[in-house]
Amino acid sequence: MNNFDIKRLGRLMQYTFVSDRSVFVKLITIWTVVFFLLFMLTLNAIKIRMGGFAGTYEACLNNALGAANSVFIGFLMFEPCFIFSNLKRKQPRINFFMLPATNLEKYIARFLTVVFLWTLCCIIGFVAADLLQWLVSFLIHPEATGLVMSQISDLNILSTFSIHNSSMSGDLSKYSLITFIVVLILLFHSFCLLGGTFFRRHSWMLTVVLFIILNITLVATASNVLANINMQPLDPNVLFSILSAICVLFIMFNYWASYTIFRRMQIINNKWINL
């Protein structure tokens, strides 16, 4: 089979959903516990520190939502490291590679499973934890209760990327900086995807270590090169546009390299890497 078939991909996704249902249940359970503990710690820490709920309870819920949002974004960035976590043992590898589908369809199915279905499990865990904390809060302090998810409409993600032009040279556009930050996030996401495909064991840990080493090396090399070159200062918007374009090229390379490594996977590979 060399041709991509959307119907065959759909059947493969159905098989993946059924075969991985225990993984989905485990993820939902884990995230329910994690978010519930996070909500209870956040809300009660404020109450203990202030001798009661200072201000409105909505402000406390907003703080809890901010903490959950940080955890959620971190999970979104790291979850590609586990794209082939189902191939750590020999028999699951045999079962997966024997599926009647092309390599591209198998790769897309795993990508959709980890990036979208795992994210859905995280969201379900968030909702379940929020309902559970509301119930517990109602029993502990019925005078002040509420759902964390009720504050989502007030969550301003763009405020995270707020900048102060006065501290920068030139007129740097806020949207240029936001675009650059988003591209950086996608770059790290794609790098985690590549690391999750390349490393067979401890993929997330080895990927993070490799990412840190590469960044230190790249920054040190770029600093030495720029120190020996007399360059006219560039307009900040032009500079960030160039950097964003370079990052996009690296993102494309990471996706290509990840799929290329997957195509070369065998049932019997190295203990630490998928080659």
Side-chain angles (χ1 to χ4, degrees), residues 61-91:
L61 294 174
N62 192 57
N63 290 334
L65 178 61
N69 183 58
S70 300
V71 173
F72 181 70
I73 292 177
F75 173 68
L76 289 181
M77 294 176 64
F78 280 101
E79 64 182 355
C81 291
F82 305 96
I83 183 171
F84 294 114
S85 58
N86 63 322
L87 303 181
K88 291 183 178 181
R89 293 181 290 110
K90 184 177 179 180
Q91 189 57 48

Side-chain angles (χ1 to χ4, degrees), residues 219-231:
V219 171
T221 303
S223 299
N224 292 332
V225 171
L226 293 176
N228 298 322
I229 298 178
N230 294 324
M231 295 182 60

Side-chain angles (χ1 to χ4, degrees), residues 196-217:
T197 308
F198 181 75
F199 294 112
R200 184 174 180 177
R201 292 189 175 184
H202 308 296
S203 55
W204 73 269
M205 186 183 305
L206 295 175
T207 299
V208 171
V209 171
L210 181 59
F211 186 80
I212 293 174
I213 294 175
L214 289 177
N215 271 274
I216 293 175
T217 304

Side-chain angles (χ1 to χ4, degrees), residues 44-111:
N44 287 281
I46 295 174
K47 180 180 180 181
I48 294 173
R49 186 174 66 250
M50 305 301 296
F53 292 110
T56 61
Y57 191 69
E58 285 73 14
C60 301
L61 294 174
N62 192 57
N63 290 334
L65 178 61
N69 183 58
S70 300
V71 173
F72 181 70
I73 292 177
F75 173 68
L76 289 181
M77 294 176 64
F78 280 101
E79 64 182 355
C81 291
F82 305 96
I83 183 171
F84 294 114
S85 58
N86 63 322
L87 303 181
K88 291 183 178 181
R89 293 181 290 110
K90 184 177 179 180
Q91 189 57 48
R93 293 175 76 92
I94 295 175
N95 296 338
F96 182 75
F97 288 124
M98 290 296 292
L99 291 174
T102 63
N103 286 331
L104 179 59
E105 291 163 357
K106 294 175 184 177
Y107 183 86
I108 294 176
R110 284 305 304 173
F111 181 86

